[in-house]
Amino acid sequence: MLDPTMPPQPLPSGLSGARKAAILMAALGPERAAGVLRQLGEQEIESVSLELAKLNAIGSETTDSVLGELAALVDGAGAGARGGVELARAVIEQALDPERAAELLARLSSVSQSRPFEFLRHAPVEQTAAVLHGESAQTIALVLANLPSGMAAEVLSHLSERVRPEVAHRIASMGEAAPAVIRQVEDSIRGRLSAAIQREYAVAGGAKTLAEILNHTDRSTERDVLDALAAADKELAEEVRGMLFVFEDIVTLDERSVQQLLREVDQKDLVLALRGAGEEVRELVLANMSERGAAMLKEEMEIQQPQRRRDVEEAQTRIVAVVRRLEQAGTIVIAGAEGEEAEAVV
């Protein structure tokens, strides 16, 4: 359980820089981690990718320690600038969900909280309401009275209709609360919030995580990572490769999913991407278009000038991103790709 008053715990001994980086990337999630990966050098890509692919489930304490170390470094770098804690907050809030960032930064700060229930101010309203569920009307009223009015109103709206009137009455008739009482309620609510976060949050690394990250990178970065990984562990590289969804895997989608995809993608990207696709992909796309749409697509492909391989691959990457977006929204289902990525021919 996180204790916002305690400093970050030391990392397990023997944790290498590459392993720390792998844990951080797993915590950031595929999209943000992909952005980090694009900034690394060839040797760094090899070492971090290998560690990430081999990573087992990581406990929240270890993850907190890695994130705490990052925040502490940022905190030091911010001295004399805009304020260490504020700079750390800006970086960590970009990397984590609001409630996680608030908990971590509160724990790192050496300045005691000046306002009651400060740790709730950055938590999602739904989570705050859930934590308050089951508390007495007097306790809920005390918490809401110490939150910003807008947030308190939102939390109140998430409470049951049975509880709202009594909570509102308690707020209206409330006098000053003793500091000792506020601290006691704070400790209780903070413990419940931390326990809820602890249950929800855990980092899982491994080949699947690396594959998810690579699905958010460009084709060039993807190839560099897989080549570097294969040089260190060919079997592991093949395992990751088998989990990737590449442009050619569109043939594994059902007709409804293909039709939904074609409604979402940019026509220019589609024309460009198909220049580097195999005949099977082209036939599938054309078969799921109207007769007029297929004729127009063929015509555009015929009159288009030769294109650079890089431009074709970038267009394919954008279409794969649409596939992933639709999958995450539950609009389409990816059954799973088989075989290796086909080499694009421009």
Side-chain angles (χ1 to χ4, degrees):
M1 181 181 299
L2 291 176
D3 181 355
T5 65
M6 295 294 290
Q9 297 302 305
L11 291 168
S13 59
L15 207 60
S16 67
R19 175 55 64 95
K20 293 179 190 178
I23 293 172
L24 174 62
M25 291 178 69
L28 292 179
E31 194 167 350
R32 294 189 182 105
V36 174
L37 199 63
R38 285 193 287 268
Q39 307 303 316
L40 301 181
E42 186 176 339
Q43 188 172 357
E44 293 168 325
I45 287 176
E46 178 178 344
S47 57
V48 173
S49 297
L50 183 60
E51 289 291 343
L52 184 57
K54 293 162 59 178
L55 202 62
N56 295 317
I58 301 299
S60 57
E61 289 184 5
T62 301
T63 304
D64 285 341
S65 296
V66 171
L67 293 171
E69 183 176 310
L70 170 65
L73 289 172
V74 175
D75 189 13
R82 47 186 273 200
V85 173
E86 288 305 311
L87 182 59
R89 180 183 298 278
V91 173
I92 296 301
E93 285 183 344
Q94 287 295 315
L96 298 177
D97 292 337
E99 70 273 20
R100 292 290 303 160
E103 286 291 306
L104 180 60
L105 290 169
R107 190 180 61 173
L108 290 168
S109 177
S110 60
V111 181
S112 60
Q113 296 174 356
S114 58
R115 296 177 294 188
F117 306 102
E118 175 72 18
F119 59 91
L120 287 176
R121 292 171 184 253
H122 299 282
V125 170
E126 296 82 359
Q127 188 173 53
T128 299
V131 168
L132 292 176
H133 178 73
E135 295 285 352
S136 69
Q138 182 65 32
T139 296
I140 298 173
L142 178 63
V143 174
L144 297 189
N146 284 281
L147 293 178
S149 57
M151 181 179 182
E154 289 189 64
V155 174
L156 188 63
S157 70
H158 281 76
L159 300 177
S160 68
E161 293 182 4
R162 180 183 59 81
V163 172
R164 282 181 215 157
E166 187 176 358
V167 170
H169 180 264
R170 296 274 186 173
I171 292 175
S173 59
M174 184 181 297
E176 290 188 7
V181 173
I182 292 178
R183 283 195 298 271
Q184 183 178 358
V185 175
E186 275 189 307
D187 290 342
S188 174
I189 300 300
R190 182 186 290 115
R192 293 187 62 179
L193 178 65
S194 298
I197 292 172
Q198 186 85 353
R199 288 193 301 270
E200 294 173 2
Y201 186 80
V203 170
K208 186 175 185 294
T209 298
L210 180 56
E212 289 174 351
I213 291 172
L214 293 181
N215 274 321
H216 286 81
T217 66
D218 54 79
R219 296 288 289 274
S220 177
T221 301
E222 177 187 298
R223 277 200 304 271
D224 288 345
V225 169
L226 290 175
D227 289 346
L229 189 59
D233 190 327
K234 187 174 181 180
E235 185 175 338
L236 190 56
E238 290 303 315
E239 182 181 356
V240 173
R241 190 188 300 275
M243 296 178 182
L244 290 174
F245 185 95
V246 295
F247 181 73
E248 289 76 11
D249 290 329
I250 287 175
V251 297
T252 66
L253 301 177
D254 59 39
E255 289 187 356
R256 187 192 65 80
S257 296
V258 173
Q259 291 163 10
Q260 180 64 39
L261 174 64
L262 294 177
R263 285 194 289 269
E264 298 285 337
V265 299
D266 187 292
Q267 183 75 4
K268 292 181 180 178
D269 279 344
L270 185 60
V271 173
L272 194 54
L274 288 178
R275 291 187 66 89
E279 191 62 31
E280 187 179 6
V281 175
R282 295 188 187 190
E283 290 179 357
L284 177 68
V285 169
L286 293 171
N288 282 279
M289 300 179 73
S290 66
E291 186 175 340
R292 182 169 178 271
M296 291 177 61
L297 181 63
K298 286 180 180 179
E299 183 179 353
E300 287 187 61
M301 292 177 61
E302 289 172 359
I303 65 175
Q304 189 181 59
Q305 298 295 317
Q307 301 292 317
R308 295 182 304 173
R309 180 181 298 274
R310 177 181 176 182
D311 294 335
V312 171
E313 292 181 346
E314 287 177 353
Q316 292 177 344
T317 298
R318 288 191 290 271
I319 291 177
V320 169
V322 174
V323 173
R324 283 296 178 192
R325 174 168 58 80
L326 293 175
E327 181 200 25
Q328 290 170 2
T331 307
I332 67 174
V333 176
I334 297 177
E338 297 180 356
E340 296 185 356
E341 172 187 353
E343 179 66 19
V345 179
V346 184

